[in-house]
Amino acid sequence: MNIRAVAVGLAVIAVAVMLFFVVAEKRRLNVLLSAEAHGNKVLATVTFFNPTDTDIQLEASNSLADGISRNVFEITADGERAAYRGEAKEPMGAKTIPAGGKFSVTVTLNSAYQLDSGMMYRIRYRADNEGREIRSDWVDVEIPGAQD
């Protein structure tokens, strides 16, 4: 085998890999999650930021615009995952986030997850969007215990 042919082949592969990552980076969404307890309910606000110079489609079930239609939150307490009890429903449609734009939505986590009073929860948003994982950092929320 010719060394020059091997070198050219490796160079072509390297360029293809770099182009893949450049294109993938252009399709990236940043996600910010904030959550707080209001009595025994936990309200979560998810903000999707598009830092790229192209519009990005956010799949309908990931946008939460029609509520929580699938298990897109990781919620744990004492190392155990909170039970997802949401009903599968067909979301309305994809959400386009313009280049440099953002989209925020607030949902009540108790509508789809079993959350108990007197517990400290770790929560993050995590979903697959157009073949790429999008996720927030973890946030901690304590639901106050029952009052005597």
Side-chain angles (χ1 to χ4, degrees):
M1 184 171 246
N2 184 329
I3 292 177
R4 178 177 241 181
V6 171
V8 169
L10 290 174
V12 168
I13 292 170
V15 168
V17 168
M18 287 188 322
L19 286 174
F20 171 79
F21 284 108
V22 166
V23 169
E25 187 64 20
K26 284 188 164 263
R27 306 299 299 165
R28 178 176 54 97
L29 279 174
N30 295 333
V31 182
L32 176 67
L33 171 66
S34 63
E36 60 184 314
H38 288 272
N40 64 350
K41 296 195 182 307
V42 176
L43 299 181
T45 299
V46 182
T47 303
F48 302 93
F49 295 94
N50 177 357
T52 72
D53 58 1
T54 59
D55 294 353
I56 295 178
Q57 286 288 107
L58 184 60
E59 295 172 12
S61 58
N62 293 338
S63 77
L64 304 170
D66 298 315
I68 303 170
S69 60
R70 68 185 181 104
N71 190 4
V72 294
F73 290 94
E74 292 180 3
I75 304 174
T76 62
D78 295 329
E80 297 293 321
R81 194 148 184 182
Y84 176 72
R85 54 183 175 91
E87 294 182 27
K89 55 186 173 186
E90 192 64 34
M92 297 299 281
K95 175 77 177 159
T96 300
I97 303 176
K102 67 180 180 177
F103 168 70
S104 293
V105 63
T106 300
V107 294
T108 303
L109 294 179
N110 306 65
S111 68
Y113 296 89
Q114 178 63 48
L115 304 177
D116 299 320
S117 298
M119 298 293 292
M120 173 68 81
Y121 290 96
R122 295 205 72 194
I123 304 166
R124 81 171 170 178
Y125 175 92
R126 184 174 179 218
D128 178 75
N129 193 71
E130 296 183 340
R132 279 189 61 92
E133 180 182 70
I134 53 175
R135 69 177 179 219
S136 69
D137 288 335
W138 290 97
V139 297
D140 295 325
V141 175
E142 183 174 3
I143 300 177
Q147 299 292 323
D148 290 328

